[in-house]
């Protein structure tokens, strides 16, 4: 199998419009979550991108009035990534798009300036494709909250099997009354900013972000990161409740580790899902213990960004890549007292550590789970 | 009270799409969850919406929910005591 | 890319006709609503699965078509557990998204429904098939403007070549504004129909458009 590498990347979030700016804020334990009073029926905490900042950044590349907020976020993210990439778009380049809900805000015809048809995700895909002039029809993944990380596995597999030479992935989701009210109806929204794995956790905080990466079969840089294994298994248990035995997540991790031919002791860091609902965090803990990974330093980045749905898996992978490059384990923001039934090594305070292999996981509605393994290579040149 | 119980049975069957049940099938003290009507966690959330919408009762504590949704009998008593509409 | 995958069986549902391997199996009156149609097919299949009636229409479609395919193909539970599911459609979950949006559009009558919200994700169709048939394999849901035989073929090959799965259930399940179509096929080494873009497109076109 051909090796596949993950290279240039970008994050558009309330913490900044480049990956580097985001890392600077994370180094300072700064969160994008603030109290909002104009999304749903009642005020609530969320991590939201300022419209004016977004529009003024977008003006550099296009007309802000012509595109929805999500499109602008995703296009800006992809633009920065393409600029930083050493290959150009060709007929061997895949455009992979990941989103859970796409332009869902256009369904509210009272507040949206766009046609409700803009909610078709294939239209979102075409907008992005045309904006950058991709040759190929976009490959769009909408697989609940694992969409972002699953898109990495999909792109890697297509390149490995020689259907493409490289790919750009862009993932994004916005905060909308639609998703907020839905999670509220599930009694899943935390009154305070979310606290993953904490004894005092009380549900999720939602957020919005876009993230993009370049993936290629060419390894040109001195420090590069290879995607060495992946898996995406179903719990076959319940469409909204996390499985009690962590089966799908466990199977996903096993599959990724078998492909990478590594043992639990080879994994230096886990970027987990950690939504901060009682059941999700408990389910992950069980799966990590079953996989003998309970001692590996782990964080959830939801305390910085909230749950950014389809963007989260890709965004958090990018922070993971920077953790590997910087050899830094970043604080799992919101963690104080461990509140799960089994051991877990949650990073309470950021610290230096050699990180060669990182495991990224996510789980979502529909019983979906995904695990991807990244490995840092340092080439002698 | 009996009218309320009948109304509840009818609404629960409709709201939760209990295709295999009729009003006559549900006894007042049948457990709603588990072996009884076989309701699950999403049904429980939907029942919370039903209480709010039809009777103006806001239930947010899941533990309270477990007690209240024991049976039609218990639910009807709870509604009678707490309804605001 | 070399592979030895073949199509084991395929099924379609469109215009109230259910067809298996290209041959109509169940035909119902066009005047029926989808709800009536799906209930009749459910009864005809002698299913006993009360959860079915709680599902949105797209999931009902997914459950019916997978039931017919798995009734036809006998697979032991061990092999069934590791089947991969690769589904796709055009509208994601928009039909149910619109229904959910209605529950939050009126501030005087604002009762977001959790039972509707849970179906506002296209991959719930995969989740429902997995629960019904105890399948824990690889999953992905793709969205595309039209049925993309090339992508499904390529990705099925990837899953096979990467040793993620030996049997892959692929298809298109779309429900949008009361227009629906479903097409599902299983590929593995043991089928008797050649598996390539052309053959998939051919059986897709036969099944979807000729009724």
């Amino acid at each position: 199998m051909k090796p596949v590498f993950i290279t240039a990347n970008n994050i558009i979030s309330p913490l900044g419009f480049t990956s580097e700016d985001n890392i600077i804020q994370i180094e300072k334990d700064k969160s994008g979550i603030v109290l909002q009073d104009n999304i749903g029926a009642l005020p609530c905490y969320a991590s939201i991108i300022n419209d004016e900042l977004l529009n003024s950044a977008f003006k550099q590349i296009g007309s802000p009035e012509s595109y929805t907020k999500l499109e602008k976020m995703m296009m800006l993210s992809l633009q920065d990534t393409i600029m930083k990439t050493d290959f150009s778009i060709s007929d061997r380049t895949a455009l992979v798009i990941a989103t859970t809900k796409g332009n869902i805000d256009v369904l509210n015809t009272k507040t949206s300036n766009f046609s409700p048809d803009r909610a078709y995700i294939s239209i979102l895909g075409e907008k992005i494709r045309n904006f950058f002039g991709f040759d190929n029809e976009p490959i769009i993944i909408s697989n609940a909250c694992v969409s972002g990380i699953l898109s990495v596995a999909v792109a890697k597999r297509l390149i490995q099997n020689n259907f493409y030479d490289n790919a750009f992935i862009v993932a994004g989701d916005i905060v909308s009354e639609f998703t907020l009210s839905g999670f509220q109806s599930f009694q899943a929204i935390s009154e305070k900013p979310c606290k993953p794995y904490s004894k005092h956790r009380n549900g999720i905080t939602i957020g919005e972000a876009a993230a993009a990466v370049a993936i290629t079969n060419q390894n040109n840089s001195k420090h590069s990161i290879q995607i060495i294994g992946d898996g995406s298994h179903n719990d076959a248990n319940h469409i909204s409740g996390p499985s009690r035995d962590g089966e799908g997540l466990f199977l996903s991790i096993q599959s990724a580790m078998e492909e990478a031919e590594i043992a639990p002791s080879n994994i230096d860091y886990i970027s987990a899902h950690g939504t901060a609902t009682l059941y999700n965090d408990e389910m992950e803990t069980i799966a990590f213990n079953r996989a003998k990974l309970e001692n590996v330093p782990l964080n959830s980045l939801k305390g910085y960004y909230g749950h950014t749905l389809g963007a989260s898996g890709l965004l958090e992978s990018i922070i993971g890549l920077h953790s590997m490059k910087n050899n830094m384990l970043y604080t799992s923001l919101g963690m104080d007292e461990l509140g799960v039934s089994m051991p877990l090594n949650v990073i309470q305070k950021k610290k230096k550590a050699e990180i060669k292999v990182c495991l990224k996981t996510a789980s979502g509605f529909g019983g979906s789970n995904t695990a991807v393994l990244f490995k840092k290579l340092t080439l002698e040149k | 009270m009996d009218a309320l119980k009948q109304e509840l049975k009818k609404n629960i069957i409709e709201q939760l799409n209990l295709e295999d049940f009729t009003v006559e099938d549900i006894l007042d003290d049948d457990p709603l969850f588990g072996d009884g009507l076989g309701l699950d966690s999403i049904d429980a959330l939907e029942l919370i919406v039903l209480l709010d919408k039809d009777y103006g009762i806001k239930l947010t504590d899941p533990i309270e929910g477990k007690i209240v949704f024991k049976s039609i009998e218990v639910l009807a008593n709870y509604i009678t005591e707490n309804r605001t509409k | 890319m070399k592979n030895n995958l073949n199509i084991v069986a395929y099924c379609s549902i469109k215009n109230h006709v259910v067809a298996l391997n290209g041959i109509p199996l169940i035909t119902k009156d066009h005047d029926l609503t989808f709800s009536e149609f799906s209930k009749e097919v459910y009864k005809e299949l002698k299913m006993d699965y009360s959860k079915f009636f709680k599902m949105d229409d797209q999931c009902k479609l997914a459950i019916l078509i997978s039931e017919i395919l798995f009734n036809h193909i006998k697979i032991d539970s061990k092999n069934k557990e590791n089947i991969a599911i690769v589904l796709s459609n055009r509208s994601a979950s928009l039909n149910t998204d619109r229904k959910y949006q209605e529950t939050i559009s009126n501030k005087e009558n604002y009762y977001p429904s959790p039972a509707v919200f849970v179906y506002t994700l296209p991959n719930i169709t995969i989740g429902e098939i997995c629960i019904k048939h105890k399948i824990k394999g690889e999953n992905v849901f793709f969205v595309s403007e039209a049925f993309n035989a090339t992508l499904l073929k390529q990705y099925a090959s990837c899953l096979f070549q990467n040793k993620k799965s030996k049997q892959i259930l692929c298809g298109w399940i779309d429900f949008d504004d009361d227009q629906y179509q479903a097409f599902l096929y299983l590929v593995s080494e043991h089928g008797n129909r050649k598996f390539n873009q052309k053959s998939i497109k051919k059986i897709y076109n036969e099944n979807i458009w000729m009724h």
Side-chain angles (χ1 to χ4, degrees):
Chain A
M1 282 281 161
K2 278 186 182 178
V4 177
F5 306 91
I6 185 161
T7 62
N9 55 78
N10 168 279
I11 296 170
I12 302 287
S13 85
L15 295 185
F17 288 0
T18 64
S19 300
E20 291 72 21
D21 285 349
N22 275 267
I23 290 292
I24 289 169
Q25 299 303 322
I26 285 181
E27 293 248 3
K28 293 190 233 167
D29 288 355
K30 179 140 190 305
S31 171
I33 298 170
V34 286
L35 191 63
Q36 312 279 343
D37 54 12
N38 57 356
I39 323 164
L42 296 165
C44 76
Y45 282 93
S47 172
I48 292 184
I49 295 170
N50 180 295
D51 284 324
E52 282 169 35
L53 288 179
L54 182 70
N55 285 336
S56 96
F58 191 78
K59 268 187 200 138
Q60 313 289 325
I61 61 167
S63 151
E65 294 76 35
S66 307
Y67 298 101
T68 66
K69 183 172 194 182
L70 179 64
E71 288 160 5
K72 285 182 273 200
M73 287 157 52
M74 292 175 87
M75 286 171 177
L76 267 178
S77 192
L78 197 49
Q79 170 74 20
D80 185 44
T81 306
I82 291 171
M83 297 289 286
K84 288 175 178 163
T85 305
D86 56 7
F87 59 83
S88 49
I89 297 168
S90 75
D91 61 351
R92 297 282 298 165
T93 304
L95 167 61
V96 181
I97 294 172
T99 183
T100 300
K101 289 312 306 165
N103 285 317
I104 193 66
D105 53 337
V106 303
L107 288 190
N108 187 344
T109 47
K110 285 177 204 143
T111 56
S112 170
N113 299 322
F114 294 90
S115 152
D117 279 354
R118 201 80 163 226
Y120 283 95
I121 302 175
S122 54
I123 294 180
L124 169 74
E126 276 308 298
K127 295 280 173 199
I128 297 174
R129 176 194 186 179
N130 294 338
F131 191 86
F132 295 100
F134 279 91
D135 297 310
N136 293 308
E137 186 187 332
I139 296 165
I140 303 172
I141 294 157
S142 186
N143 211 98
C145 299
V146 308
S147 304
I149 185 61
L150 182 55
S151 66
V152 175
V154 169
K156 172 213 161 229
R157 289 165 176 178
L158 289 168
I159 294 170
Q160 267 182 324
N161 286 276
N162 209 28
F163 295 117
Y164 296 93
D165 288 335
N166 48 50
F168 286 101
I169 306 177
V170 60
D173 267 300
I174 46 161
V175 167
S176 64
E177 187 184 8
F178 187 102
T179 44
L180 176 67
S181 64
F183 281 121
Q184 279 167 339
S185 80
F186 265 79
Q187 315 252 338
I189 297 283
S190 175
E191 284 165 26
K192 296 272 171 60
C194 66
K195 296 174 75 62
Y197 308 109
S198 160
K199 197 174 172 180
H200 312 289
R201 73 184 183 276
N202 193 20
I204 67 173
T205 299
I206 55 171
E208 61 190 14
V213 293
I215 293 194
T216 167
N217 58 13
Q218 297 296 313
N219 182 15
N220 295 327
S221 78
K222 211 171 113 197
H223 302 283
S224 59
I225 287 170
Q226 190 185 343
I227 307 161
I228 54 170
D230 49 33
S232 182
H233 286 256
N234 199 286
D235 290 324
N237 172 60
H238 194 271
I239 51 170
S240 62
S243 104
R244 283 177 199 281
D245 54 7
E247 179 77 354
L249 180 56
F250 171 71
L251 291 173
S252 303
I253 296 169
Q254 291 296 108
S255 169
M257 283 176 44
E258 267 171 41
E259 179 185 342
E261 296 179 335
I262 60 166
S265 59
N266 298 123
I267 297 175
D268 303 306
Y269 161 58
I270 302 170
S271 173
H273 191 49
T275 60
T277 68
L278 285 177
Y279 294 111
N280 172 79
D281 293 6
E282 182 64 24
M283 178 282 288
E284 284 185 87
T285 306
I286 292 166
F288 289 135
N289 274 270
R290 282 181 66 186
K292 303 197 179 354
L293 292 168
E294 68 274 17
N295 296 321
V296 180
L298 162 153
N299 62 16
S300 157
L301 297 167
K302 302 290 190 292
Y304 300 90
Y305 295 106
H307 190 351
T308 57
L309 309 180
S312 64
L314 191 62
L315 183 165
E316 292 157 10
S317 294
I318 293 170
I319 302 295
L321 305 185
H322 288 267
S323 292
M324 295 172 86
K325 277 189 179 158
N326 302 340
N327 284 318
M328 278 295 286
L329 295 167
Y330 296 112
T331 312
S332 190
L333 208 60
M335 172 64 188
D336 36 37
E337 251 180 293
L338 188 68
V340 286
S341 69
M342 295 169 96
L344 209 57
N345 184 4
V346 184
I347 305 160
Q348 294 231 30
K349 200 166 170 12
K350 69 163 196 250
K351 56 180 171 244
K352 277 265 170 200
E354 172 76 20
I355 309 171
K356 282 187 187 147
V357 176
C358 159
L359 169 67
K360 172 71 203 132
T361 68
S363 303
F365 276 8
S368 55
N369 301 273
T370 302
V372 173
L373 281 163
F374 299 98
K375 185 181 184 183
K376 182 168 67 182
L377 306 172
T378 309
L379 291 181
E380 305 295 331
K381 273 205 174 171
Chain B
M1 194 58 152
D2 278 345
L4 175 62
K5 284 181 195 166
Q6 289 299 102
E7 174 183 294
L8 271 175
K9 288 176 190 175
K10 187 171 157 284
N11 286 347
I12 288 176
I13 288 170
E14 264 176 34
Q15 283 294 316
L16 305 185
N17 297 307
L18 301 181
E19 184 71 19
D20 301 338
F21 287 90
T22 63
V23 171
E24 290 73 35
D25 291 335
I26 306 175
L27 302 178
D28 292 353
D29 51 4
D30 272 349
L32 296 184
F33 289 82
D35 291 342
L37 297 189
L39 304 188
D40 80 349
S41 56
I42 303 173
D43 295 317
L45 294 165
E46 203 60 35
L47 283 179
I48 291 175
V49 177
L50 185 143
L51 278 189
D52 187 9
K53 198 172 178 173
D54 294 351
Y55 308 104
I57 300 172
K58 293 220 184 286
L59 202 69
T60 47
D61 182 1
I63 294 167
E64 200 184 357
K66 262 188 190 161
I67 300 165
V68 172
F69 298 142
K70 192 167 174 280
S71 65
I72 292 290
E73 180 82 37
V74 176
L75 187 55
N77 283 327
Y78 181 82
I79 290 170
T80 310
E81 280 165 29
N82 295 283
R83 65 191 300 170
T84 62
K85 66 180 181 193
Chain C
M1 176 67 49
K2 185 182 68 133
N3 72 53
N4 308 312
L5 289 175
N6 296 294
I7 296 168
V8 180
Y10 58 97
C11 184
S12 72
I13 308 180
K14 162 106 176 165
N15 291 338
H16 291 8
V17 179
V18 180
L20 179 65
N21 294 328
I23 299 158
L25 188 71
I26 301 171
T27 305
K28 295 287 171 193
D29 192 336
H30 282 222
D31 296 338
L32 298 180
T33 62
F34 179 79
S35 166
E36 293 162 342
F37 164 73
S38 60
K39 195 169 162 181
E40 290 209 1
V41 176
Y42 171 93
K43 281 185 184 160
E44 200 143 325
L45 295 173
K46 299 190 171 60
M47 290 178 72
D48 179 19
Y49 197 63
S50 56
K51 271 190 218 169
F52 178 80
F53 297 101
K54 294 175 185 263
M55 294 176 192
D56 76 344
D57 290 336
Q58 195 159 282
C59 284
K60 282 181 178 169
L61 205 50
I63 285 295
L64 292 177
I65 196 166
S66 56
E67 189 73 13
I68 293 158
L69 206 61
F70 285 124
N71 279 347
H72 175 67
I73 315 163
K74 299 291 173 219
I75 308 172
D76 64 70
S77 60
K78 190 80 202 125
N79 282 317
K80 208 171 176 183
E81 194 174 284
N82 202 38
I83 290 177
I85 305 184
V86 180
L87 293 187
S88 60
N89 76 7
R90 175 170 181 269
S91 65
S93 56
L94 262 180
N95 203 56
T96 301
D97 294 355
R98 294 185 193 109
K99 282 188 186 136
Y100 179 76
Q101 183 71 36
E102 277 171 30
T103 74
I104 58 167
S105 62
N106 183 350
K107 292 289 166 255
E108 272 74 55
N109 191 26
Y110 191 84
Y111 297 103
S113 164
V116 180
F117 182 69
V118 74
Y119 285 102
T120 62
L121 295 164
N123 63 302
I124 298 292
T125 51
I126 297 177
E128 292 286 18
I129 295 174
C130 285
I131 293 168
K132 175 74 176 63
H133 296 279
K134 300 189 174 62
I135 294 172
K136 298 176 181 173
E138 281 276 338
N139 288 177
V140 67
F141 199 102
F142 292 118
V143 174
S144 54
E145 183 55 34
F147 179 67
N148 188 339
T150 309
L151 175 62
L152 297 191
K153 194 251 160 202
Q154 289 178 345
Y155 196 65
S157 303
C158 289
L159 290 173
F160 185 78
Q161 295 291 344
N162 286 25
K163 300 191 170 57
K164 298 296 177 188
S165 193
K166 287 183 174 172
Q167 301 180 88
I168 301 123
L169 188 66
C170 302
W172 173 271
I173 295 177
D174 195 74
F175 200 108
D176 190 5
D177 265 343
D178 298 329
Q179 293 293 310
Y180 71 88
Q181 58 180 50
F183 173 56
L184 199 66
Y185 55 96
L186 184 78
V187 295
S188 85
E189 291 173 292
H190 308 296
N192 51 17
R193 288 174 193 82
K194 232 178 143 174
F195 176 62
N196 54 37
Q197 271 116 275
K198 241 169 123 184
S199 62
I200 302 168
K201 257 200 180 129
K202 187 168 171 284
I203 58 171
Y204 169 78
N205 287 332
E206 271 171 14
N207 276 273
I208 296 298
W209 304 116
M210 279 180 63
H211 303 316

